[in-house]
Amino acid sequence: MEISTRAFCILLVLVLNAVKITLSVEDGLLYLDYYKETCPLAEEIVSRNVEIAVLKDPRMAASLLRLHFHDCFVMGCDASVLLDNYVDIISEKQAGPNLNSLRGFKVIDEIKYILEEACPLTVSCADILAMVARDAVALRGGPSWKVWLGRKDSLKASFDGANQFIPAPNSSLETLIANFNQQGLDVEDLVALSGSHTLGKARCLSFRQRVYDINVEEKHDKYRRYRTFRRILRSICPESGRDEAIAPLDFVTPAKFDNQYYINILEGNGLLGSDNVLVNEDHAGEIKKLVWAFASNQELFFRSFARSVVKMGNINVLTGVDGEIRKNCRFVNP
Ligand code: HEM
Ligand SMILES: *[C@@H]1O[C@H](CO)[C@@H](O)[C@H](O)[C@H]1NC(C)=O
């Protein structure tokens, strides 16, 4: 009798463990309410400070969202993007796609500083980036979502990875699809996440080629609005010089997170080459269908965006004993 009770208990434990393991695998190793016990005010502290930063500088919402993307596409969402040059670390900040372009590092520093006061060595820089991206989108009128947490921070950066994996604005559609596939993201993720370009700005350097490209002209000349758009862009961005002049990625509702981006690209009015190829180069028409769906149904876009951004936030995360919680997001712990 006693033996069979014991056997039953062992069996029960085995079954429960199996269930637990399956669940954590399905959840991508991250958790909701991860800091509930260890730093109950973490999400509150982050959202208040994002709010203040965005009030001071509205473009910061865009810049903070982009930081999460540039983090996740290089070695996974591990805050590698935040590391400065130091001894054997070559910062990703000086890689082509990031140099003179990524913004928001000081905002992350401030948030980290406050979190270290509240709960030392508890909240990772990678999780801060994920929370901040969510709050930034919500503040500009976009969707919100539950953030999965528990990422650890990397012990290294990848300058080469930043040059290789962050897509260029003159990429072909085929290249963009391959680039996202490498990260485990599909075409729907590509289309939904590109909708981030409803916010923020780009430099002349990033859109010059598209504005003077003969092929693009032929495709869109039929739209009067496109011709006006091109004239304005050429006045901002001459064929040479003024590389740092900036223009809004969504020239209709630049400060709002909405589905206007998709309406723009259907009219040939995306700012970057990589925006317009979603419509121009999609010969099968599948992507264009999705663009139409998002352009005509903002709620659908919001749901897809939230799903895809959570998926992006799961890319190659470090968890458990891998990585560390940095004390200062710019440096690995001594
Ligand atoms: C599909 C491939 C993508 C390409 C080729 C691309 C490229 C670019 C480029 C060239 C800029 C302007 C940089 C500058 O001139 O300084 C930019 C800005 C931006 N990107 Fe992307 N991007 C892509 C996808 C994404 C994704 C997935 C997100 C977010 C999840 C994102 C968020 C942003 C935001 C918010 C800005 C504006 C940043 C600011 O104003 O500070 N992009 N992107
Ligand atoms: C994209 O731009 C880069 C840098 O300006 C340039 O070297 C490259 O040739 C361009 N690629 C294409 C396909 O136009």
Side-chain angles (χ1 to χ4, degrees), residues 14-86:
L14 287 176
V15 169
L16 285 178
N17 270 331
V19 169
K20 201 171 105 197
I21 289 163
T22 326
L23 278 181
S24 58
V25 167
E26 277 178 2
D27 294 344
L29 304 168
L30 299 178
Y31 305 84
L32 297 173
D33 299 324
Y34 183 75
Y35 297 112
K36 196 173 179 178
E37 309 291 331
T38 54
C39 194
L41 289 179
E43 297 211 31
E44 181 79 16
I45 290 172
V46 171
S47 63
R48 287 272 173 257
N49 283 282
V50 172
E51 202 179 328
I52 293 166
V54 170
L55 273 175
K56 273 196 223 156
D57 171 8
R59 184 183 171 191
M60 193 49 73
S63 307
L64 292 172
L65 170 60
R66 187 168 181 234
L67 267 186
H68 185 39
F69 163 50
H70 283 217
D71 181 30
C72 294
F73 268 51
V74 182
M75 298 194 306
C77 313
D78 59 1
S80 59
V81 71
L82 300 178
L83 291 171
D84 282 349
N85 283 329
Y86 189 71

Side-chain angles (χ1 to χ4, degrees), residues 59 62-63 66 69 101 167-168 196-197 200-203 206 272 274:
R59 184 183 171 191
S63 307
R66 187 168 181 234
F69 163 50
S101 181
S196 300
H197 292 170
K201 291 171 179 165
R203 293 162 305 156
S206 305
L272 305 177
S274 55

Side-chain angles (χ1 to χ4, degrees), residues 124-140:
S124 69
C125 300
D127 278 349
I128 295 175
L129 289 177
M131 289 187 267
V132 155
R134 186 259 318 260
D135 296 335
V137 168
L139 276 171
R140 298 279 97 191

Side-chain angles (χ1 to χ4, degrees), residues 156-276:
K156 53 187 204 281
S158 179
F159 172 81
D160 293 337
N163 281 320
Q164 184 182 343
F165 294 115
I166 293 166
N170 61 355
S171 305
S172 65
L173 179 59
E174 203 182 351
T175 303
L176 291 177
I177 292 172
N179 179 286
F180 273 61
N181 279 341
Q182 259 178 326
Q183 305 286 352
L185 300 176
D186 59 27
V187 163
E188 190 170 339
D189 299 316
L190 167 65
V191 178
L193 291 172
S194 293
S196 300
H197 292 170
T198 178
L199 292 180
K201 291 171 179 165
R203 293 162 305 156
C204 165
L205 204 58
S206 305
F207 63 83
R208 174 179 289 125
Q209 189 182 343
R210 167 258 189 282
V211 169
Y212 292 95
D213 186 336
I214 307 291
N215 295 322
V216 174
E217 279 179 38
E218 281 173 1
K219 276 175 190 138
H220 297 298
D221 240 14
K222 56 181 184 276
Y223 299 109
R224 192 201 315 251
R225 284 187 74 182
Y226 171 68
R227 292 200 299 272
T228 310
F229 184 56
R230 188 181 58 201
R231 196 163 53 237
I232 294 167
L233 291 182
R234 285 182 175 177
S235 73
I236 296 171
C237 185
E239 267 189 283
S240 67
R242 300 234 297 267
D243 285 356
E244 305 297 318
I246 51 174
L249 284 155
D250 167 5
F251 77 116
V252 181
T253 56
K256 230 174 152 273
F257 193 102
D258 56 13
N259 65 340
Q260 183 64 44
Y261 168 83
Y262 299 99
I263 298 165
N264 294 344
I265 63 175
L266 284 170
E267 295 175 339
N269 292 342
L271 182 60
L272 305 177
S274 55
D275 298 322
N276 293 303

